[in-house]
Amino acid sequence: MSLTPTELTLLKEEIGERDDQIDFLNAFINRDPELLSPCLIVHGYKAVGKTLTVKKFLDTLAVTYTHVSCDQCVSKKMLLRRCFDGIRVDSGHVNKREIGTRSDFQMYGAQGDTFASFISAMEKFTDKHKYTQHHVLVLDRVDECFEYVGDVLAAFTRLREASTKLKNLSVVAIISGDDPKEIVTLSNPHVHFRPYSEDEVVRILQAKQLCKFRDDGDGDTTDFYNQYVKAVVDLFYQYTGSDISLLGDVIQRLWEPFIEPIKEGRLKTTEFVKVLKENIDLFTHDGVVSNSGVVEFKTLQMEQEVTNTAGGHVHDLPLHSKFLLLASYLASYCPPRDDILKYSKIKVAKYKKRATKASKVGKHGAGHLGKGDIDTRMLTANFSDLERILAILSVIYRSYAPSLNKSDKDDLLYMDEEIISNEEKKAVEKSKFTLTRNIDLTSQIATLFSLGLLSKTTSSDILAAKVRWRCNIDWHTAESLAKSLSFPIEDFLMDE
């Protein structure tokens, strides 16, 4: 006996957009095992409701079934043992605690080593407990098992031929790809789950109500949520397709930052277009879909570092390497002719540039921009000599390093002659400080080169006088790195 018309109507209202598939399942799966095919194949793309529909249908049919996640099995032996143990537990004749005990092993032996031993163990179980009730075995994602199990699936299709005592056992195999070659010519009934259309995805996600406002003081927010779902699906359907799980994850992850203007009281739930325009950057970020569905485990400190800074592994470098990287950035993007103005203590009088014919033409709005008229941060990094990088490094480190510029003279509680003498020694040491004598710069340059943060000219050029270096980080990374060191990098990039 299959489902009644009333049960079918209620099930279709609960599942949604799967009326044809439910009708097919109702035609092939019956409470009477003799009216059901030994093996039913349910196939379709991922996240289109195959497992949900099959489980809801079996629950409504009130038939005993065992669900086995085959993608969690690494071998055929593990798959067969989970099938046997699951059938016994779901039948109600065996307690979960009895599985794997010594008496259980003495009774059934190695029940999952081969398919023949699986059939033998199942026959012993049915004879012992007189189990003749219809039982459905659901092999979910059977094509995603670590070991190829096409031969096992083919054996399940001939289960009733192999044993006359297992007439009450039926198999429903759920796959996402094509049929295995072992069963492609067999006459097993198939139920195909087509991909959802864009309108169907919108209706399903709107009905699920995945996100809600914590405070419903603004009245009914259902319309706002429905508009939000429609916007997300319109923006990402071309990428995600009908993957309900992926789209649901995107909706849940973007919900809290999306409703931030409403929680702050600046906008209302009736002003959806304004909220969308203010948060349009959330939908254009690179990590919106690339990491969806992936569970990330981070500490609070790691999340704060990702939120407050940019550059990733650059912020894990030691202090000297950070200054060396900033020095290479300044050397790569600043012309050498300005070094004496920016890094020297000598006050050089500014000079006026001679007004050439090209500059006059550019001043009147005609012609092309010269290289000096473009911000250096928008240009390509230039190769620079190592001596110039080290000279810039010595200047900026001596002026801005916390180890050299930290003073104790403001500590009034411990102001004595010893602290004053230490301050004088620090001043002398700072004036005579040379970075190359204190640290091993060669190894740090090699480390930065191995990380891809620095690049050098090829050493195979026999005409090259020496190796030159160039910085590979962008402006945003250099800016965040300079902020972490309290180093005013903009003062050295802007033309005075």
Side-chain angles (χ1 to χ4, degrees):
M1 180 179 178
S2 300
L3 296 180
T4 62
T6 304
E7 292 174 335
L8 277 176
T9 303
L10 295 176
L11 181 60
K12 291 177 181 179
E13 292 178 356
E14 183 180 2
I15 299 297
E17 312 300 338
R18 286 304 181 206
D19 295 352
D20 295 339
Q21 287 73 20
I22 292 176
D23 290 335
F24 286 138
L25 291 176
N26 192 41
F28 290 122
I29 301 179
N30 199 291
R31 291 188 176 96
D32 188 358
E34 295 182 358
L35 302 178
L36 174 63
S37 174
C39 184
L40 174 66
I41 307 297
V42 176
H43 64 102
Y45 291 113
K46 293 183 179 181
V48 291
K50 301 186 298 295
T51 303
L52 176 65
T53 306
V54 170
K55 294 177 70 174
K56 289 291 185 181
F57 178 82
L58 294 176
D59 290 334
T60 307
L61 193 63
V63 65
T64 306
Y65 69 94
T66 298
H67 178 265
V68 179
S69 298
C70 301
D71 57 336
Q72 300 177 3
C73 302
V74 297
S75 63
K76 302 176 184 178
K77 182 186 297 185
M78 180 181 293
L79 174 61
L80 293 174
R81 287 188 177 182
R82 286 193 177 184
C83 292
F84 179 66
D85 295 340
I87 291 173
R88 289 190 296 161
V89 172
D90 294 328
S91 66
H93 293 284
V94 178
N95 195 330
K96 209 169 188 179
R97 298 177 180 177
E98 301 177 10
I99 295 178
T101 60
R102 180 176 296 180
S103 59
D104 184 65
F105 182 78
Q106 291 176 353
M107 178 66 186
Y108 300 105
Q111 66 272 16
D113 289 346
T114 60
F115 194 80
S117 63
F118 169 78
I119 293 179
S120 176
M122 282 297 303
E123 290 178 346
K124 290 181 182 179
F125 170 73
T126 54
D127 292 340
K128 180 181 178 180
H129 299 281
K130 305 300 181 181
Y131 186 64
T132 58
Q133 183 181 355
H134 185 203
H135 199 113
V136 179
L137 176 62
V138 181
L139 300 176
D140 194 9
R141 296 183 290 272
V142 67
D143 55 336
E144 298 181 21
C145 184
F146 283 20
E147 186 178 358
Y148 182 73
V149 292
D151 53 343
V152 175
L153 183 59
F156 271 116
T157 61
R158 296 187 295 267
L159 180 63
R160 296 184 183 179
E161 300 177 10
S163 175
T164 58
K165 298 181 181 180
L166 301 179
K167 298 294 186 179
N168 63 322
L169 185 62
S170 304
V171 179
V172 176
I174 303 176
I175 59 178
S176 299
D178 298 331
D179 290 349
K181 60 182 180 181
E182 288 82 0
I183 66 170
V184 69
T185 58
L186 301 181
S187 57
N188 296 306
H190 285 65
V191 178
H192 174 63
F193 279 67
R194 57 173 179 79
Y196 292 113
S197 64
E198 185 174 350
D199 294 335
E200 291 174 344
V201 172
V202 172
R203 289 195 293 267
I204 291 173
L205 294 175
Q206 287 177 349
K208 283 187 174 183
Q209 285 290 331
L210 299 175
C211 307
K212 294 182 180 180
F213 286 93
R214 296 180 182 178
D215 185 11
D216 296 336
D218 296 334
D220 188 15
T221 58
T222 305
D223 187 52
F224 181 86
Y225 171 77
N226 292 339
Q227 290 179 315
Y228 168 71
V229 170
K230 183 69 167 61
V232 172
V233 175
D234 289 343
L235 289 171
F236 296 108
Y237 184 80
Q238 297 297 328
Y239 176 82
T240 61
S242 60
D243 195 331
I244 296 292
S245 61
L246 184 57
L247 282 169
D249 182 76
V250 173
I251 289 174
Q252 290 178 332
R253 289 197 303 114
L254 297 182
W255 174 255
E256 289 297 330
F258 185 79
I259 64 174
E260 193 68 27
I262 299 177
K263 293 191 295 184
E264 294 176 355
R266 294 185 285 107
L267 297 174
K268 298 180 180 180
T269 55
T270 56
E271 300 174 323
F272 177 79
V273 177
K274 292 183 180 180
V275 177
L276 179 62
K277 288 182 178 180
E278 184 171 339
N279 295 297
I280 194 64
D281 293 338
L282 292 174
F283 303 98
T284 58
H285 192 269
D286 294 339
V288 173
V289 181
S290 60
N291 295 328
S292 295
V294 179
V295 180
E296 296 183 355
F297 300 93
K298 294 182 178 180
T299 61
L300 181 60
Q301 181 181 0
M302 293 172 61
E303 291 181 353
Q304 290 177 350
E305 290 178 355
V306 172
T307 304
N308 299 331
T309 61
H313 58 280
V314 175
H315 293 274
D316 297 330
L317 295 173
L319 180 65
H320 298 111
S321 297
K322 291 180 180 179
F323 273 99
L324 179 59
L325 196 58
L326 290 176
S328 63
Y329 183 87
L330 293 173
S332 300
Y333 285 93
C334 296
R337 64 176 180 270
D338 297 336
D339 288 352
I340 193 171
L341 295 172
K342 295 180 179 179
Y343 307 108
S344 177
K345 292 183 180 181
I346 303 175
K347 303 299 180 182
V348 181
K350 294 184 179 180
Y351 61 93
K352 287 186 177 181
K353 293 183 180 180
R354 183 175 298 176
T356 59
K357 183 177 181 181
S359 62
K360 291 180 180 179
V361 172
K363 185 176 180 180
H364 292 289
H368 299 282
L369 289 175
K371 188 176 180 180
D373 300 324
I374 304 176
D375 191 349
T376 56
R377 290 170 292 183
M378 301 178 63
L379 300 175
T380 306
N382 298 317
F383 285 98
S384 179
D385 297 334
L386 180 61
E387 290 79 3
R388 179 169 175 251
I389 296 176
L390 295 181
I392 297 175
L393 171 64
S394 181
V395 172
I396 64 175
Y397 187 84
R398 184 170 62 244
S399 302
Y400 298 97
S403 58
L404 290 179
N405 294 276
K406 184 179 180 180
S407 177
D408 298 329
K409 63 182 180 180
D410 297 329
D411 195 350
L412 300 178
L413 296 178
Y414 299 96
M415 197 67 176
D416 55 8
E417 295 180 357
E418 184 178 357
I419 293 181
I420 295 175
S421 61
N422 289 336
E423 290 294 328
E424 294 176 352
K425 291 180 181 179
K426 284 184 180 180
V428 175
E429 182 181 358
K430 182 178 179 180
S431 62
K432 298 180 179 180
F433 177 79
T434 304
L435 189 63
T436 55
R437 297 179 182 176
N438 293 272
I439 61 174
D440 187 7
L441 286 176
T442 306
S443 60
Q444 298 204 21
I445 292 174
T447 302
L448 295 176
F449 175 73
S450 63
L451 293 175
L453 302 175
L454 293 178
S455 60
K456 63 178 181 178
T457 55
T458 177
S459 58
S460 60
D461 188 4
I462 59 175
L463 299 178
K466 52 188 172 180
V467 177
R468 306 185 58 163
W469 298 85
R470 182 178 66 182
C471 182
N472 292 331
I473 62 175
D474 56 2
W475 163 244
H476 297 290
T477 304
E479 183 183 23
S480 61
L481 189 61
K483 287 181 179 179
S484 65
L485 297 174
S486 299
F487 172 64
I489 190 173
E490 296 87 353
D491 297 345
F492 296 92
L493 291 173
M494 301 297 180
D495 294 332
E496 299 179 359

